[in-house]
Amino acid sequence: MTDPTSPEGPLSGITVVTLEQAVSAPMCTRTLADFGARVIKIENPRGGDFARDYDDVVNGMAAHFVWANRGKESVTLDLKSDAGIATLHTLLASSDVLVSNLAPGATARLGISQEDLAERYPDLIAVEIDGYGPGGPMSHKRAYDLLVQAESGACAVTGYPGMPAKPGPPVADISTGLYAAVSILALLCGRERHRGRAGALSSVSVSLFDTMTEIMGYPLTYTRYSGVDQQPRGMSSPAVSPYGAYRTADDQTVVLGTTNDREWQRLAREIIGRDDLADDERFHTNAGRCEHREVLDDAIARWCALHPLDHVQKIADDAGIGNARYNLPSEVLVHPQLKARNRWREVDSPNGPIEALLPPPVIAGFDPPMGAVPGLGEHTAQVLADAGLRPEQIEDLRDQGAIGPAYRFPESTVRPSR
């Protein structure tokens, strides 16, 4: 658990309200929570974020949800009711950031478009995450990670020729969420630097499609100037050779990579003992090695098949050649690098403690809060009380159905509501 004596995070004192579902916006706001922001997650009283129901493998909770939503406070609001919208505005009046990834046009229909918010709350940073960005022929379409990866060409450069694949992690969602978080940090920084001056920047839109076409920067640039659609190569690269996965004598898979001519010379001479290949003019440049990659892959595969993984990796390390072991997720869970660096932490949840990884940034002197995964509506009463509503007003909202019923912890879990 977090050390209570740890210094406050760099975003301590910043309040973020979020209207979010699935992964992209939740990853944005979880990142802000990891830096110490207070994140208030607004959820529909009837079920909440639909990612809560993707599966039940984490002590009865969904893996996507617990991964992307720790450290947040859940407030149930029916935004289709006048009282629910009025309550949202009560929260926005004292908040710094609003993040949303609702369906196209939803914020405008709710009266909380970026234009609406800029007029009513000039200091509020409004962030909208959408599928394709405004003003184009696809702006109206819903967008999910797989759909955008297909539309942006990412699936065409993943897998094998004639066998395209979606990259395993939700790259479009995660990357868009992180771009949104970076944008928020930039606007917060700008707000502090230009406080009191006119014209401060206060809104940002980030689309999954724009993010994925940025991530596709190398393939798009290559194709624009070569006219060639590079073919996917599984666990290899169309841009570099030799660079790929090879089976070892003990039935493991080692990944070996070279990034320049000097590394290729060392791999050929010091690892696989093939001076003839090192001297062959066909392989003196990366372009030549890519053109004749099958020859090199065959030679490396033959050598790796004669030796166990540990031997291959030691020889590669001694020669200064990058290498890795192909791991399954179950093997990464017990990875010695994670264990040695104490990267796993216990996080609270409505259904008891769970394990989670620390966020990637390591800030000297600061332990990330690693707050609890919230139950649906767990913090409604406390957040509304913090916003100035009296108990009888909260009960009236509950009677109207504008907020969900009073939260009750599962019998097996008791933790004080914030």
Side-chain angles (χ1 to χ4, degrees):
M1 302 297 287
T2 302
D3 180 356
T5 65
S6 177
E8 290 185 334
L11 293 184
S12 177
I14 297 296
T15 298
V16 180
V17 173
T18 180
L19 310 175
E20 60 184 22
Q21 303 273 8
V23 175
S24 59
M27 282 304 297
C28 167
T29 56
R30 199 210 77 181
T31 299
L32 302 177
D34 287 337
F35 287 127
R38 183 185 191 186
V39 176
I40 300 171
K41 182 182 179 79
I42 306 300
E43 300 190 71
N44 189 313
R46 294 172 293 281
D49 184 339
F50 55 70
R52 286 182 177 273
D53 299 319
Y54 279 169
D55 55 61
D56 60 359
V57 301
V58 188
N59 298 344
M61 300 172 293
H64 270 95
F65 187 84
V66 300
W67 162 56
N69 288 281
R70 66 162 188 263
K72 304 178 186 181
E73 300 171 53
S74 173
V75 172
T76 50
L77 281 183
D78 181 0
L79 297 182
K80 294 183 179 180
S81 70
D82 291 341
I85 285 291
T87 304
L88 174 64
H89 280 290
T90 299
L91 297 177
L92 294 179
S94 58
S95 297
D96 300 283
V97 182
L98 172 65
V99 176
S100 65
N101 69 331
L102 305 180
T107 56
R109 291 191 294 271
L110 292 171
I112 53 171
S113 69
Q114 291 178 327
E115 295 74 19
D116 296 326
L117 295 171
E119 182 175 342
R120 187 164 180 175
Y121 310 107
D123 291 331
L124 182 73
I125 294 171
V127 182
E128 287 199 17
I129 296 174
D130 64 11
Y132 295 98
M138 298 182 69
S139 299
H140 66 288
K141 292 176 70 71
R142 286 183 177 271
Y144 307 126
D145 183 87
L146 170 60
L147 307 182
V148 174
Q149 293 212 42
E151 195 76 40
S152 67
C155 294
V157 298
T158 309
Y160 294 90
M163 299 175 62
K166 171 195 173 296
V171 178
D173 281 336
I174 296 171
S175 301
T176 303
L178 293 178
Y179 266 109
V182 169
S183 301
I184 291 167
L185 297 178
L187 293 180
L188 285 171
C189 181
R191 187 178 72 177
E192 291 303 309
R193 290 167 60 94
H194 303 102
R195 189 174 291 279
R197 301 187 213 170
L201 302 175
S202 62
S203 67
V204 60
S205 299
V206 186
S207 80
L208 275 72
F209 186 68
D210 289 346
T211 297
M212 282 308 299
T213 51
E214 166 63 19
I215 290 175
M216 285 286 292
Y218 164 72
L220 294 178
T221 301
Y222 185 95
T223 300
R224 174 181 289 278
Y225 291 99
S226 71
V228 175
D229 284 314
Q230 292 177 313
Q231 294 300 298
R233 293 192 170 272
M235 286 185 63
S236 184
S237 167
V240 182
S241 178
Y243 193 48
Y246 309 93
R247 296 298 286 180
T248 60
D250 53 347
D251 205 29
Q252 300 291 314
T253 298
V254 66
V255 181
L256 296 172
T258 61
T259 58
N260 56 60
D261 298 338
R262 295 183 305 278
E263 289 184 355
W264 153 243
Q265 288 290 320
R266 294 201 303 274
L267 188 153
R269 298 182 191 278
E270 301 176 29
I271 297 181
I272 65 174
R274 292 293 301 271
D275 288 356
D276 59 316
L277 295 179
D279 293 335
D280 193 321
E281 291 186 359
R282 291 178 298 170
F283 309 128
H284 282 182
T285 66
N286 181 64
R289 293 192 294 276
C290 286
E291 183 179 354
H292 303 286
R293 67 172 67 243
E294 290 79 8
V295 176
L296 303 184
D297 283 339
D298 180 68
I300 296 169
R302 288 175 179 272
W303 183 85
C304 289
L306 298 174
H307 305 283
L309 176 69
D310 287 349
H311 176 78
V312 174
Q313 290 198 280
K314 183 181 187 307
I315 295 291
D317 285 339
D318 290 345
I321 297 300
N323 62 89
R325 178 182 189 268
Y326 166 80
N327 287 314
L328 298 174
S330 56
E331 293 166 320
V332 178
L333 289 175
V334 293
H335 200 291
Q337 187 73 2
L338 296 176
K339 181 178 180 181
R341 299 179 63 236
N342 193 28
R343 296 293 297 168
W344 289 102
R345 291 290 188 276
E346 186 177 278
V347 170
D348 202 0
S349 85
N351 294 358
I354 62 173
E355 294 293 312
L357 283 167
L358 284 166
V362 178
I363 301 175
F366 170 65
D367 289 329
M370 302 296 286
V373 177
L376 177 60
E378 176 181 344
H379 306 91
T380 303
Q382 185 62 58
V383 168
L384 297 185
D386 291 348
L389 274 69
R390 300 186 305 277
E392 59 270 24
Q393 291 176 299
I394 296 172
E395 284 304 313
D396 185 49
L397 289 171
R398 188 165 284 129
D399 291 341
Q400 296 179 59
I403 63 176
Y407 183 79
R408 287 179 172 78
F409 285 94
E411 292 183 5
S412 59
T413 307
V414 177
R415 74 169 185 252
S417 181
R418 194 202 167 286

